[in-house]
Amino acid sequence: MSSILKKGKREEIRLSDHFTATRLIRFVMPSIVMMIFTSIYSVVDGLFVSNFVGKTAFAALNLIYPPLAMLGGLGFMIGTGGSAIVAMTLGEGKRDKANEYFSFLLYVTIGVGLVLTVIGFVVLRPIAVLLGAEGEMLNNCLVYGWIILAFQTAFMLQFVFQSFFVTAEKPKLGLAVTVAAGLTNVALDYLLVGVFRLGLAGAAAATGMSQVVGGVLPLLYFAGRNNSLLRLTKTKWNKWVLIKTCTNGSSELMSNISASVVNILYNYQLMVRAGENGVAAYGVMMYMSFVFSAIYLGYAVGCAPVISYHFGAGNRGELRNLFWKSIRLNGAAGIVMIVTAQLAANPLMRIFVGYDGELFAMTRDGFRLYAMAFLITGLNIFGSAFFTALGNGGVSAVISFLRTLVFQVLSVTALPVFLGVNGIWLAVVVAEVLSLMVTAGFLAGNGKRYGYVNLSTEKTGE
């Protein structure tokens, strides 16, 4: 009878399980889809703004979005860094302590989000002016930015819960919440921008309301009785947990901040060399990059708590198993990604900017160069996330800092001198290649220390 029931309904996957490739893919798939839906927020905004409001508003959205995204990175830092600590604590068998840490980090997120909203309202205008916005573009930046800032706390909570749903062994519930948030964004964009023609204000309101769904509903779930590993409880100030979370998740924060800084630099280079069309073209590439990279990020978010759990429990054989399967899966995904991007470049770019022949050609050709980076992006993202999951935020931060800031700044500054606009599109490719060398060095150099290589005498279950 039990075997019949198992065939009718798949058994739940636990953090403590042994993971075959199929089981690992099943476990991380909700996180992958979750990250894809999260990336759709800005993509949908851009799609509606570009087609219904015009390329000036579209360029304004792309100009002001990077500094706004920096603030959301704090939520990602707390989620990834904190979930590693909570998962390790669960692996040690200390569930009450894990819930105490979890609750403390959520309350910190809410407090920080409220403070950042106030600060953001004050500094948004000077930041937009500093980026070069003026006239109609400046007004558009302010309208979009002020509305987004009003939902800052929900934005940060959404990123936090993306990691903690996995740690709570509820990745499917996390996926359901994110899908609901994504559908809310799409529906409201259609109504507010497409039907009622509210422009950038409508796009920002649609995104903000979707963030309420993704950030506030999970808060209500964990605050009540639930059958997950985590729930909100009484807690107290814990400086050690906060410092460890920030240190451990610093690589994710660094990635977010660096990406925003680099985007600003890209936009500056493009304004000089290609004007408004160049900024609009880069905006489309960023939207597509969000979706492709979301697959790699989703895998990293999904498998990180499993790695943390087995590391905390001292299961080195399973740690080795997870490491090598992840390397193979990310390598295979890279091949699929680059082929898909090249084949889909024409139809995808036409959806966004098909109304302008010159802009369409620039965007399509640029994306085909830019997309070559997708071949190895996943290995770099996993390498950084792997060290975060092991509690080594320092190594993770170095990889992210070099990958998302140093190598990209050097590339986007130097390559256009020799290759013009094509050098801007290829800058990310060069940066990913250099980063892979660093990532491989750290993975090889720390294998014995953490026990994910040279364990031939242990059973891994493969």
Side-chain angles (χ1 to χ4, degrees):
M1 178 64 71
S2 61
S3 62
I4 294 176
L5 290 175
K6 284 184 179 180
K7 289 181 180 178
K9 181 181 179 181
R10 285 187 174 181
E11 59 181 318
E12 291 292 325
I13 301 175
R14 304 295 180 189
L15 295 178
S16 56
D17 289 350
H18 163 66
F19 283 79
T20 62
T22 301
R23 182 178 288 262
L24 184 57
I25 292 173
R26 279 179 53 202
F27 189 78
V28 303
M29 188 55 67
S31 296
I32 292 174
V33 179
M34 183 168 62
M35 292 301 295
I36 291 174
F37 267 87
T38 301
S39 70
I40 286 175
Y41 295 155
S42 55
V43 173
V44 171
D45 280 354
L47 181 62
F48 276 92
V49 170
S50 178
N51 284 279
F52 288 96
V53 189
K55 66 180 181 181
T56 298
F58 183 50
L61 186 156
N62 294 321
L63 195 66
I64 200 61
Y65 184 79
L68 295 173
M70 287 186 191
L71 303 181
L74 290 169
F76 202 39
M77 175 190 72
I78 294 173
T80 54
S83 65
I85 294 172
V86 172
M88 287 183 204
T89 307
L90 289 171
E92 294 167 356
K94 302 174 182 177
R95 185 170 178 179
D96 289 342
K97 186 63 69 175
N99 278 310
E100 184 181 318
Y101 295 163
F102 166 67
S103 302
F104 169 68
L105 292 171
L106 286 186
Y107 298 144
V108 168
T109 302
I110 293 172
V112 172
L114 293 173
V115 171
L116 288 177
T117 295
V118 175
I119 296 174
F121 277 128
V122 175
V123 302
L124 184 65
R125 176 182 285 273
I127 288 177
V129 172
L130 185 64
L131 294 176
E134 56 184 21
E136 182 184 357
M137 183 175 284
L138 175 60
N139 291 332
N140 285 331
C141 288
L142 296 178
V143 167
Y144 186 83
W146 278 331
I147 295 174
I148 290 295
L149 284 168
F151 297 92
Q152 178 62 36
T153 302
F155 185 33
M156 291 177 61
L157 282 172
Q158 183 175 9
F159 277 119
V160 170
F161 284 123
Q162 285 175 349
S163 295
F164 276 119
F165 265 125
V166 181
T167 306
E169 293 183 340
K170 293 293 180 180
K172 291 181 181 178
L173 181 58
L175 170 60
V177 170
T178 305
V179 169
L183 293 177
T184 299
N185 193 36
V186 173
L188 290 179
D189 263 325
Y190 173 75
L191 288 173
L192 300 180
V193 182
V195 177
F196 296 113
R197 301 301 175 105
L198 297 180
L200 276 176
T207 296
M209 291 306 299
S210 68
Q211 290 165 354
V212 170
V213 174
V216 177
L217 290 186
L219 187 65
L220 298 177
Y221 170 78
F222 286 110
R225 292 183 178 273
N226 63 75
N227 61 352
S228 77
L229 292 179
L230 301 176
R231 65 171 299 181
L232 281 172
T233 62
K234 291 183 179 179
T235 187
K236 58 185 178 181
W237 176 261
N238 193 318
K239 182 174 67 174
W240 177 87
V241 169
L242 183 58
I243 293 174
K244 185 66 176 175
T245 294
C246 294
T247 302
N248 203 34
S250 60
S251 61
E252 281 67 28
L253 177 63
M254 178 59 64
S255 295
N256 194 281
I257 293 177
S258 298
S260 298
V261 171
V262 168
N263 286 348
I264 292 170
L265 180 57
Y266 270 73
N267 284 332
Y268 173 78
Q269 287 277 47
L270 286 164
M271 281 292 286
V272 172
R273 297 177 181 275
E276 190 175 283
N277 273 1
V279 175
Y282 180 64
V284 176
M285 292 181 210
M286 284 300 93
Y287 295 141
M288 292 298 98
S289 178
F290 291 160
V291 176
F292 281 86
S293 296
I295 297 173
Y296 294 131
L297 287 170
Y299 182 89
V301 168
C303 73
V306 183
I307 292 169
S308 297
Y309 183 95
H310 286 286
F311 178 66
N315 299 331
R316 291 194 165 193
E318 186 61 24
L319 187 62
R320 176 176 182 262
N321 171 52
L322 290 165
F323 172 74
W324 286 112
K325 280 186 171 59
S326 296
I327 292 296
R328 288 193 288 268
L329 287 171
N330 277 283
I335 297 173
V336 175
M337 293 279 204
I338 191 172
V339 172
T340 302
Q342 297 300 324
L343 293 177
N346 199 71
L348 286 177
M349 300 308 109
R350 192 172 295 280
I351 292 173
F352 278 91
V353 291
Y355 57 83
D356 188 313
E358 180 183 354
L359 179 57
F360 165 71
M362 174 187 288
T363 308
R364 178 199 59 203
D365 296 343
F367 180 70
R368 283 178 170 158
L369 295 175
Y370 186 96
M372 292 168 61
F374 297 157
L375 179 64
I376 56 177
T377 298
L379 293 171
N380 286 322
I381 290 175
F382 172 75
S384 178
F386 184 68
F387 284 108
T388 297
L390 295 176
N392 193 334
V395 169
S396 182
V398 169
I399 293 174
S400 292
F401 179 70
L402 293 175
R403 171 179 170 260
T404 59
L405 184 62
V406 175
F407 292 151
Q408 288 220 45
V409 168
L410 292 175
S411 298
V412 78
T413 302
L415 291 182
V417 175
F418 305 100
L419 301 175
V421 174
N422 284 341
I424 300 177
W425 311 139
L426 287 171
V428 67
V429 182
V430 174
E432 291 290 356
V433 171
L434 295 173
S435 300
L436 185 61
M437 298 178 186
V438 175
T439 301
F442 276 121
L443 290 173
N446 287 277
K448 291 183 180 180
R449 174 184 176 185
Y450 291 107
Y452 54 85
V453 298
N454 295 334
L455 290 174
S456 58
T457 57
E458 295 188 37
K459 292 182 179 181
T460 65
E462 295 186 76

